[in-house]
Amino acid sequence: MPSNKSVSDAPIVQFTNCRILRSHQLQREDLWVREGKILNPEKLFFDEKGSADIQLDCKDSIIAPGFIDVQINGGFGVDFSLATDDFKSGIDLVSQKILSHGVTSFCPTLVTSPPAVYHQVLPQISIRNGGAHGAGILGAHLEGPFISNEKKGAHPEHCLRTFEAGAFQDLLATYGSLDCVRIVTLAPEMKRSSEVIRELTKRGICVSLGHSVANLSQAEEAVQHGATFITHLFNAMLPFHHRDPGIVGLLTSDKIPAGRRVFYGMISDGIHTNPAALRIAHRAHPKGLVLVTDAIAGMGLAPGRHTLGQQVVEIDGLNTYIAGTKTLSGSVATMDTCVRHFQEATGCSVETALEAASLHPAQLLGIEHKKGTLNYDSDADFLMLNDGLYVQATYIAGEEVWRQDVLSM
């Protein structure tokens, strides 16, 4: 059947012999792609009288939306919290390398830093589409410095700040610009945090609660003012207590505004969260779980000493500590590893594990109409995986940007 090119001259690619993750189910159908978008084959057949120009046999692979990492501090020797002359080449390197781990979009994350670092680094982060050059950049995630001293974790104490003097103006002065900022993590118990949360939300910036000693009512108030995310649940917050469950209590709170969903990040690396805690969170609020790597510069490198912003960290196996202490400082796990560990630890379905790294982060950022799904007209950012959830190939805008070397499989 000849193609009808009245709509577009672009080639139509048909991916066959695959199981597509669509509508929360793996479905045995073909995937059709044109001009970087997922195509509705019914419209193609009946409206355009068209057919595929290229057919690709996927050999029974799973096809899932590309992973979205909303908290990644660096990797492969690059630290996003260091103001260097070659910062742009560093971010390019990370965006290229994470393609092999299935990440097609990400939020470069800066930990608590002096204002000078934000002023130098943030203008060098630009929101951009992914492609053969690397994963797309959705905007920066600024984790701190408006966080609790008591729950600072690996964040340097001398750089912590409060809102008490000028509230939102203090935040603007610290960061310099919010042009490329997508997420801000702050401690909601801080004085004047409510007005800051409202201002950030008004600008379309996602507010995340973390590194905090907030009780449940303070956390609920923050959500009522617009906060929608929790930074690495269980880590750097008050532990769950039955009389006041703290931020963790948001997972089952009845004070969440109607129509609002609270999402929460989890570092599913087998180190930061015990599998039992992972299961508790997932069973309490499955639709809010967002897998994050919280990866640091040492991801992809040999054990030893590396940096995380202003701190020196030490990698010992999968453990990363502030040098000379037992304070955890980020992760060296890759996103595909986190997905596999999450599925194994919780016993959840393959679909659920994949959506925690794709659909849920897209919903958190309000981009699920184009990312995180394989719905018709969404961006053709997707992965081919085997049944063990190992990435075999990564596609962005319908173009193959990485493929597993057969010899190394």
Side-chain angles (χ1 to χ4, degrees):
M1 191 195 322
S3 290
N4 178 339
K5 296 296 187 182
S6 62
V7 173
S8 170
D9 289 332
I12 296 165
V13 183
Q14 178 187 8
F15 294 81
T16 66
N17 189 18
C18 53
R19 290 160 289 156
I20 302 171
L21 176 55
R22 186 178 280 150
S23 302
H24 318 298
Q25 294 291 325
L26 285 177
Q27 305 182 13
R28 193 163 280 286
E29 356 175 313
D30 294 351
L31 186 76
W32 300 74
V33 174
R34 177 172 61 193
E35 291 187 316
K37 301 285 184 185
I38 309 288
L39 203 56
N40 181 344
E42 285 195 10
K43 282 188 179 175
L44 175 67
F45 301 149
F46 297 114
D47 297 353
E48 299 181 42
K49 308 288 189 278
S51 60
D53 298 289
I54 303 161
Q55 284 190 328
L56 292 175
D57 183 350
C58 301
K59 300 178 178 159
D60 205 36
S61 295
I62 292 169
I63 292 189
F67 299 149
I68 299 170
D69 194 350
V70 299
Q71 187 174 8
I72 171 171
N73 310 290
F76 316 100
V78 177
D79 185 341
F80 297 146
S81 302
L82 286 184
T84 57
D85 293 338
D86 59 349
F87 181 86
K88 283 191 174 173
S89 60
I91 210 165
D92 288 347
L93 175 73
V94 174
S95 66
Q96 176 68 47
K97 291 273 197 182
I98 57 180
L99 294 174
S100 65
H101 301 293
V103 178
T104 53
S105 303
F106 70 109
C107 293
T109 304
L110 278 71
V111 295
T112 294
S113 304
V117 169
Y118 297 113
H119 295 184
Q120 200 171 333
V121 168
L122 290 181
Q124 298 186 72
I125 297 176
S126 48
I127 295 167
R128 67 183 187 204
N129 293 326
H133 58 275
I137 297 174
L138 300 171
H141 177 170
L142 305 182
E143 187 188 358
F146 301 98
I147 58 172
S148 160
N149 182 37
E150 202 178 321
K151 291 293 179 183
K152 64 185 182 296
H155 292 237
E157 186 173 342
H158 69 278
C159 295
L160 300 182
R161 301 174 81 85
T162 69
F163 297 127
E164 285 183 52
F168 189 69
Q169 292 311 311
D170 285 356
L171 179 139
L172 278 179
T174 300
Y175 295 147
S177 167
L178 294 173
D179 289 350
C180 69
V181 176
R182 202 59 186 265
I183 305 173
V184 171
T185 293
L186 54 79
E189 71 275 14
M190 287 188 144
K191 285 180 183 166
R192 304 190 70 180
S193 65
S194 292
E195 55 192 282
V196 173
I197 293 169
R198 283 197 300 269
E199 282 295 330
L200 288 170
T201 305
K202 211 186 288 180
R203 286 164 168 75
I205 293 169
C206 166
V207 175
S208 188
L209 311 180
H211 288 277
S212 162
V213 292
N215 59 35
L216 179 56
S217 64
Q218 289 168 325
E220 288 170 335
E221 187 183 347
V223 171
Q224 285 152 13
H225 286 116
T228 53
F229 195 38
I230 303 170
T231 295
H232 44 53
L233 187 78
F234 297 124
N235 290 281
M237 61 187 60
L238 290 178
F240 178 90
H241 188 281
H242 58 285
R243 277 194 289 276
D244 191 337
I247 289 176
V248 177
L250 288 176
L251 271 60
T252 56
S253 169
D254 58 0
K255 302 278 195 313
I256 307 300
R260 178 93 55 80
R261 185 186 304 177
V262 173
F263 293 88
Y264 58 97
M266 297 221 71
I267 310 167
S268 172
D269 61 354
I271 304 290
H272 279 77
T273 314
N274 184 284
L278 203 52
R279 288 191 287 274
I280 286 169
H282 174 246
R283 289 173 192 176
H285 185 27
K287 290 184 176 172
L289 194 148
V290 173
L291 292 177
V292 299
T293 61
D294 198 21
I296 63 169
M299 177 177 68
L301 302 182
R305 292 200 162 198
H306 302 282
T307 65
L308 176 60
Q310 310 295 303
Q311 311 268 45
V312 176
V313 299
E314 205 149 6
I315 297 176
D316 177 14
L318 278 178
N319 292 290
T320 60
Y321 303 113
I322 293 179
T325 76
K326 286 298 177 187
T327 300
L328 284 175
S329 54
S331 155
V332 288
T334 56
M335 184 58 91
D336 55 326
T337 303
C338 291
V339 169
R340 290 190 295 271
H341 176 73
F342 171 59
Q343 205 249 333
E344 188 183 338
T346 61
C348 71
S349 67
V350 164
E351 292 95 331
T352 296
L354 292 168
E355 286 187 343
S358 55
L359 175 62
H360 295 177
Q363 290 172 328
L364 165 71
L365 297 176
I367 56 172
E368 69 272 23
H369 58 290
K370 56 182 180 176
K371 307 276 187 198
T373 77
L374 298 177
N375 293 342
Y376 302 140
D377 297 323
S378 61
D379 293 351
D381 297 356
F382 58 89
L383 314 174
M384 285 187 196
L385 307 105
N386 64 19
D387 286 349
L389 300 186
Y390 285 86
V391 180
Q392 298 171 314
T394 303
Y395 287 76
I396 293 181
E399 300 289 330
E400 183 181 292
V401 292
W402 181 84
R403 177 166 287 275
Q404 172 73 51
D405 180 355
V406 177
L407 296 175
S408 64
M409 285 178 73

